[in-house]
Amino acid sequence: MSFRTLDLNLLKVFEALMTEGSVTRAASALTMTQPAVSNALARLRDALGDPLFVRSSSGIRPTQRAVALWQPIGDALEHVRHALDEDAFDPRQTQAEFILSMSDYVASLVMPRLLNRFSEVAPSARIHTVPNTILEIGDRLEDNRVDCVLSVYVNEAQQPPAVIRSRSLWTVEYACMMRRDHPLARQKRLNTRSFLAAKHVDVSLAGKTLPTYDQFLASRGLSRNLVATVNHYNAAYEIVRQSDLIAVLPRDLNAQSRHAPHLHAMPVPLPAPPRIVSLFWHQRNDTVPAQRWLRETLVEMFARME
């Protein structure tokens, strides 16, 4: 391949295919016909000597060569775009739709404030949330099913794939929650034996059957009396409020929920390592103006100094 003979318009097609993850959506974004985009992709493949994109169940998936090219090409196009049009994205005029993946715990803390901010600065934008399946963070972003994920990354065996970018937001503070008239609530300090012997409920998000806290206990040769798991945090708080079960749950969600007057929080006698809620996105969206604005807004609003 020679740079002198490469049609640089093809790089705009490459950018659209990386960003949209679909020939049809790329054609719409570029206001081109689908055959024209397919023809441009064929020319790109010939010029670069690589398939660049392969079909997947949700559209197209970039090859390793395409992933390697994306950052330098995306950065270069973004520099050109900013040089030609500094107002490429105007939140007050945008009608963009954003899809965020998060648990009900994260949504309870994020969505009320975020929607209020959008009503002020991006009144025509739309936000949709989908449940957080924590073992599919990389797949959801890779397949372009969501724009961002707000979650704790729980795969201790390995870091997220290199194409997945992240930014820490806040550390979750946990407490042992129980109803106010629970027998253990009378203790000034919850001892380890009573804590492990009590009946527990915990949250196990889809895709992970064993709660992370039990993995932590197992690493220390311990186990608790876990009698139930649910896949929503609010359900866990409600169960604790109406039963003798206790739970290790985020303290900040309880403080803002309707359950707060009915629940008693105590320090966890065996605190697990800190869990940090992070913002995850795919590197192909690094330079997309609307996506970058969304991430900057989320970081500005929810990243806490640790």
Side-chain angles (χ1 to χ4, degrees), residues 214-286:
D214 292 271
Q215 294 182 349
F216 160 71
L217 290 176
S219 71
R220 303 185 61 173
L222 300 172
S223 63
R224 59 176 170 166
N225 186 15
L226 181 66
V227 301
T229 59
V230 293
N231 62 350
H232 293 282
Y233 283 88
N234 276 309
Y237 285 104
E238 186 65 24
I239 290 169
V240 170
R241 185 179 73 85
Q242 298 190 42
S243 72
D244 280 337
L245 274 65
I246 67 173
V248 178
L249 294 170
R251 181 189 292 270
D252 48 5
L253 180 58
N254 172 67
Q256 298 186 26
S257 77
R258 60 187 174 86
H259 305 299
H262 309 286
L263 297 179
H264 178 64
M266 300 183 73
V268 180
L270 295 167
R275 290 287 172 182
I276 300 175
V277 174
S278 296
L279 172 65
F280 297 91
W281 70 95
H282 198 284
Q283 74 169 18
R284 66 168 168 258
N285 288 329
D286 275 350

